[in-house]
Amino acid sequence: MKMTSIQMKKKLEERLDENGWRTSFNRDKDTFRVEWEHSGEGITVTVPNVISKWQEKGEKSLDELEEHIREALRVMNENTELSGQEKNVYPVIRAASFPTETENGKKLVYTEHTAETRIYYALDLGKSYQLIDYQKLEEEGWSIDRMKEVASFNARSLEVSLRKDTVYGNDFYFQSLNDGYDASRILNESLLEEMKAECKGELAISIPHQDVIIFADIQNEGGYDILAQMAMKFFAEGLVPVTSLSFLYENGKLEPIFILAQKKPKEKKGDDET
């Protein structure tokens, strides 16, 4: 029997029935929201996406979602400080469409990255993290440059543990430590240069969601198609999707591969493809 949005709404309500919280369901947008009654801060999830993951993984998917929501709401209700927490400030990658301010109007600190992605900054709180806004910096007397320098240093210090697979003559290296910063490894320039130096072909990188990064040593034209399929699959599965596009790394710059294809028509399979 197919799960309906109303049925999933009831499941979520049962799991997230807590004093101090309120839940709501938007029929038009097919979204479910949990928020603090006193502040209105909370989380909104798209119900069809929740159903899709439930059909694939069953109740385990709801266990994971519930844990994520509970931890996020806990963090929202805490008064955190940056002072003395320098080692816990990290950059996080988000889609270019990600909001630039919180729901209560605080402007988030971010840096443009590519046409598809932005860099935001977060204070790690253990099981979750809190995005840093300009008000927080002002309250604690931190400059933007200081925060970015600290975050950049911490990103370079993140563990790198890659698993290699070879598919049709192309080498793919995966990392998914689920520490919240797998995609942030794309900001480690020394890692990118090291991977570039070891490549036999061209280096392509994919960050389909927050908790995975894929490096691809593309040695034939089919490698781009394989990477695109991988990226789309991971993008659909991610709790925090970033982009289904991959990037070519050349001369210290990241370039979306669909732009590359326009520059090199020979890499297309047919003139009618877009």
Side-chain angles (χ1 to χ4, degrees), residues 9-258:
K9 163 188 170 289
K10 291 179 180 178
K11 273 181 167 289
L12 295 174
E13 285 175 339
E14 290 172 0
R15 284 173 169 264
L16 299 164
D17 182 18
E18 292 285 345
N19 288 332
W21 295 359
R22 62 170 167 247
T23 61
S24 59
F25 176 63
N26 187 314
R27 290 177 180 270
D28 294 332
K29 296 182 178 180
D30 214 353
T31 58
F32 182 85
R33 180 169 175 77
V34 190
E35 63 185 25
W36 285 102
E37 291 179 347
H38 69 277
S39 67
E41 289 188 294
I43 285 186
T44 301
V45 296
T46 303
V47 177
N49 291 349
V50 177
I51 293 174
S52 177
K53 291 177 182 177
W54 177 82
Q55 290 171 335
E56 180 182 345
K57 299 171 63 176
E59 292 298 311
K60 181 182 177 182
S61 67
L62 297 186
D63 292 341
E64 294 172 351
L65 178 62
E66 179 183 348
E67 181 181 3
H68 171 72
I69 290 175
R70 287 184 177 276
E71 180 63 18
L73 286 170
R74 180 188 69 79
V75 169
M76 288 176 187
N77 206 37
E78 285 188 351
N79 184 24
T80 57
E81 294 183 354
L82 295 174
S83 299
Q85 298 289 327
E86 285 82 358
K87 66 179 181 179
N88 294 322
V89 175
Y90 291 95
V92 290
I93 302 291
R94 290 290 184 269
S97 59
F98 191 81
T100 58
E101 62 180 53
T102 65
E103 292 178 341
N104 56 357
K106 294 180 180 179
K107 293 185 178 181
L108 296 169
V109 183
Y110 68 90
T111 301
E112 298 295 344
H113 181 229
T114 72
E116 308 299 322
T117 55
R118 289 197 192 111
I119 306 167
Y120 290 76
Y121 301 88
L123 175 63
D124 190 279
L125 299 171
K127 291 184 178 180
S128 61
Y129 49 66
Q130 188 176 71
L131 294 181
I132 297 171
D133 56 66
Y134 283 97
Q135 181 177 320
K136 174 69 70 176
L137 291 182
E138 185 176 346
E139 288 174 351
E140 301 204 27
W142 277 46
S143 69
I144 294 176
D145 287 342
R146 177 190 178 191
M147 184 207 60
K148 289 182 178 180
E149 183 179 345
V150 168
S152 179
F153 175 83
N154 290 336
R156 293 193 298 271
S157 303
L158 288 167
E159 176 187 354
V160 176
S161 179
L162 300 172
R163 174 176 61 85
K164 178 182 177 182
D165 283 337
T166 300
V167 184
Y168 294 112
N170 301 276
D171 296 325
F172 299 89
Y173 302 84
F174 303 85
Q175 174 160 312
S176 184
L177 298 180
N178 289 301
D179 58 5
Y181 310 105
D182 285 304
S184 297
R185 269 73 170 183
I186 199 172
L187 303 175
N188 185 343
E189 294 180 2
S190 61
L191 172 61
L192 269 56
E193 288 297 328
E194 180 181 340
M195 296 299 297
K196 178 67 175 177
E198 293 181 359
C199 278
K200 299 172 186 175
E202 295 182 296
L203 175 61
I205 307 169
S206 179
I207 45 173
H209 65 73
Q210 165 186 282
D211 293 310
V212 68
I213 186 169
I214 307 169
F215 295 98
D217 182 356
I218 304 295
Q219 299 172 49
N220 57 59
E221 292 182 4
Y224 288 105
D225 291 332
I226 296 168
L227 180 59
Q229 293 170 19
M230 290 179 178
M232 184 61 72
K233 178 178 183 295
F234 279 110
F235 180 77
E237 295 174 349
L239 190 62
V240 184
V242 178
T243 176
S244 59
L245 288 177
S246 299
F247 303 91
L248 187 72
Y249 183 70
E250 276 189 325
N251 301 318
K253 295 182 179 180
L254 294 165
E255 184 177 13
I257 286 176
F258 77 93

